[in-house]
Amino acid sequence: MTSTFRFLEDIALADSAFEARGDTPSELFRAAAQAVIETMVAPETVTPTLTKPISRHDWSLENLLFDWLADIVYLKDAEGLVFRDAACTVDKDGASGDWQMNAVLTGEPIDPARHDLRADIKAITKHCYEVRQHGGGWIATVVMDI
């Protein structure tokens, strides 16, 4: 199982960008989620005291990833949560042809006294946004508005 991400310095000057990679769509989604999580907080400072299950589906893998990452930002803003990690499974439904995602975020309410808070992501953007299959794996380029 291989999933990675790296921050991109030359994509957006006022924002933050990353490239995520995975051998499968599930691994790609996990790597992208971890990049968003690590942009917001040092995950090792977050205690896994709660879980947030998220299920989504979309005809487009690109749209599904965008919504998944936006969910993480929304939960930080609306519910005051930060996360340590994310687990997810992404498959294509044979009957409908839609992509299905079932995920669980693990984290806790924000505590500035304990958490090493980093950037405050305002939104995931469509600027330079791309999801593509390359060779035997998947790559996503994501820009975050900070």
Side-chain angles (χ1 to χ4, degrees):
M1 188 185 283
T2 304
S3 66
T4 63
F5 69 88
R6 67 183 175 99
F7 291 101
L8 303 173
E9 302 297 327
D10 56 348
I11 295 291
L13 297 177
D15 296 327
S16 182
F18 66 86
E19 177 184 90
R21 292 175 175 259
D23 290 341
T24 65
S26 297
E27 291 172 3
L28 175 69
F29 276 50
R30 186 183 184 291
Q34 202 63 37
V36 170
I37 289 167
E38 292 191 26
T39 298
M40 295 190 293
V41 66
E44 64 276 5
T45 66
V46 178
T47 304
T49 61
L50 63 83
T51 58
K52 275 291 196 185
I54 298 175
S55 294
R56 288 189 160 274
H57 66 92
D58 198 290
W59 65 271
S60 160
L61 187 65
E62 192 170 73
N63 292 343
L64 188 62
L65 178 63
F66 185 88
D67 290 344
W68 162 232
L69 300 178
D71 284 339
I72 298 169
V73 175
Y74 171 81
L75 289 167
K76 181 255 310 169
D77 291 336
E79 297 185 21
L81 301 175
V82 287
F83 302 100
R84 182 179 188 92
D85 60 19
C88 59
T89 303
V90 179
D91 294 302
K92 196 157 194 172
D93 183 326
S96 70
D98 281 359
W99 289 96
Q100 308 285 331
M101 181 201 73
N102 292 298
V104 177
L105 292 162
T106 305
E108 67 180 330
I110 295 171
D111 180 352
R114 284 190 317 97
H115 297 137
D116 179 7
L117 298 173
R118 296 175 174 166
D120 184 20
I121 300 173
K122 295 179 185 125
I124 304 301
T125 74
K126 293 281 185 160
H127 177 67
C128 296
Y129 181 74
E130 179 183 32
V131 176
R132 68 187 185 280
Q133 195 167 15
H134 180 72
W138 295 84
I139 302 172
T141 304
V142 179
V143 176
M144 302 168 288
D145 180 12
I146 297 185

